[in-house]
Amino acid sequence: MPGRIDFTNCRRLPGKAYNGANGKKIAVEYQGDPYMLKFPPSAAKKKTELLYTNSCVSEHIGSSIFNMLGIPAQQTMLGTFEVNGKQKVVCACRDFTVGNVRFHDFCSIKNTVIDSGHDGNGTELDDLLEAIEKQGFMSPLRLLERFWDMFVADALLGNFDRHNGNWGFVYDESTLTTDVAPVFDCGSCLLPQADERTMESVLKNEDELNARIYQFPTSAIQRGGRKINYYDFLTGAENRDCGAAVLRIVPRVQLSAISAFVSDVPYISEKQKEFYTKYIAARFEKILIPAYEAAMAQQPHEPEAGPSMTM
């Protein structure tokens, strides 16, 4: 198992602050590199508030699996940080906005499409696709490919919060070049609100598992004013660009490698490891495999490699 890291005495970096919900964030230096430390949220004050207890774990596992799928994502580590005499498990996310590199979220980019009747925050699919086509920062085809690759990977991980503020572009002021930013903010993957009792219920009850695959979580992206159901949308194979992403990403999913990775994640229980492994495998088998078959049915020939079903 990888060594455990204590970030408590790391040097705090001045001039760096991060926004966003679901937990505090600070900037530190670790082994000469800048990192954002994400803390687990404090206890909910109201019964109506949701507590993302495992969001730091979800952040690390989700980001790591994106990288395993060949989709560039932030580099993350789990460690601890002492606050008022109590150790908290935190996620350290390597800061990709260093030197002359600046990040611009898609919400800001979407606002530059001045002939659109929608603002930057809107997540209606047709509006997003229009903004991707009309933005002038980089190749629309490259950006469209990343958009759908993220969508397919988020379907595998059950991400319900890929909004316009947590993906976008990086611009290097020294080279005057723009590229898609590494994927980040994966804390809403893998049912971060689930405690071990819920995990146990899902592991033992097929109906409980299926509800969390076929019914929820849904995508944050909407179509016709309703959040997209991953299973319905992907198996419907209505969007050709999405189908192409399915054919790209699904063969890269190696469940045995993902299982081995999860088994080495520190600070989590064996029950959590069992849950994450089974949940990812179930979403792969019940969402992505049917989506792959639907996309294949629309292709004139077989690709060289098919999806792996091995654990």
Side-chain angles (χ1 to χ4, degrees):
M1 179 176 292
R4 300 193 172 204
I5 306 168
D6 184 359
F7 294 105
T8 307
N9 295 319
C10 287
R11 184 175 74 90
R12 294 278 291 267
L13 296 178
K16 274 282 187 180
Y18 308 98
N19 61 9
N22 301 326
K24 305 291 186 180
K25 306 172 182 70
I26 62 172
V28 302
E29 181 182 72
Y30 177 71
Q31 294 187 344
D33 293 315
Y35 282 85
M36 175 183 67
L37 293 188
K38 298 186 75 170
F39 290 75
S42 302
K45 297 179 181 178
K46 303 177 182 178
K47 292 183 179 180
T48 55
E49 292 180 353
L50 295 175
L51 181 59
Y52 294 75
T53 308
N54 296 312
S55 59
C56 289
V57 175
S58 295
E59 185 82 53
H60 174 57
I61 295 178
S63 296
S64 299
I65 290 176
F66 263 98
N67 281 314
M68 294 171 73
L69 296 177
I71 305 172
Q74 64 183 355
Q75 299 296 320
T76 61
M77 300 179 290
L78 290 180
T80 57
F81 194 98
E82 187 173 311
V83 181
N84 296 327
K86 295 182 179 179
Q87 275 199 338
K88 296 180 179 289
V89 174
V90 299
C91 183
C93 309
R94 187 168 179 177
D95 195 332
F96 53 81
T97 60
V98 295
N100 294 312
V101 176
R102 302 289 178 263
F103 171 70
H104 301 284
D105 62 30
F106 189 71
C107 179
S108 302
I109 303 304
K110 193 165 176 280
N111 276 333
T112 68
V113 183
I114 57 177
D115 60 345
S116 171
H118 306 277
D119 65 25
N121 289 314
T123 57
E124 187 68 30
L125 177 60
D126 287 345
D127 185 32
L128 294 176
L129 297 180
E130 179 190 30
I132 288 173
E133 181 181 356
K134 291 184 175 181
Q135 55 77 35
F137 290 81
M138 66 178 301
S139 163
L141 291 178
R142 174 165 165 72
L143 185 59
L144 186 66
E145 181 176 295
R146 174 62 62 83
F147 173 82
W148 285 120
D149 284 354
M150 285 195 306
F151 185 89
V152 174
D154 280 335
L156 174 66
L157 298 169
N159 190 352
F160 57 83
D161 198 33
R162 183 69 65 198
H163 53 75
N164 296 343
N166 60 16
W167 75 287
F169 302 79
V170 284
Y171 179 71
D172 191 328
E173 295 177 341
S174 60
T175 60
L176 305 181
T177 55
T178 302
D179 201 353
V180 188
V183 175
F184 67 99
D185 200 0
C186 296
S188 296
C189 296
L190 302 172
L191 303 179
Q193 301 157 5
D195 56 17
E196 287 207 13
R197 184 173 61 178
T198 301
M199 292 180 181
E200 180 71 16
S201 176
V202 172
L203 287 169
K204 289 184 175 180
N205 188 322
E206 192 74 12
D207 290 337
E208 293 281 349
L209 175 62
N210 286 336
R212 289 163 175 82
I213 292 174
Y214 297 119
Q215 298 176 29
F216 63 91
T218 56
S219 171
I221 299 169
Q222 301 184 40
R223 189 169 61 161
R226 299 185 63 180
K227 291 184 177 181
I228 290 175
N229 177 288
Y230 282 120
Y231 174 81
D232 292 342
F233 186 85
L234 287 173
T235 58
E238 298 176 30
N239 186 288
R240 182 175 299 179
D241 295 313
C242 181
V246 169
L247 296 178
R248 281 193 300 272
I249 299 301
V250 172
R252 302 177 190 174
V253 179
Q254 300 294 324
L255 294 181
S256 57
I258 291 174
S259 176
F261 164 73
V262 172
S263 70
D264 279 341
V265 173
Y267 308 108
I268 63 174
S269 69
E270 293 303 314
K271 182 63 63 182
Q272 288 175 283
K273 294 177 182 181
E274 180 186 4
F275 171 77
Y276 293 132
T277 300
K278 181 173 181 178
Y279 186 60
I280 293 168
R283 294 188 68 88
F284 178 67
E285 177 183 351
K286 298 185 178 188
I287 297 180
L288 292 197
I289 289 297
Y292 185 88
E293 293 170 347
M296 278 293 298
Q298 298 185 355
Q299 300 301 305
H301 56 79
E302 298 264 343
E304 293 184 0
S308 169
M309 290 295 292
T310 59
M311 286 296 293

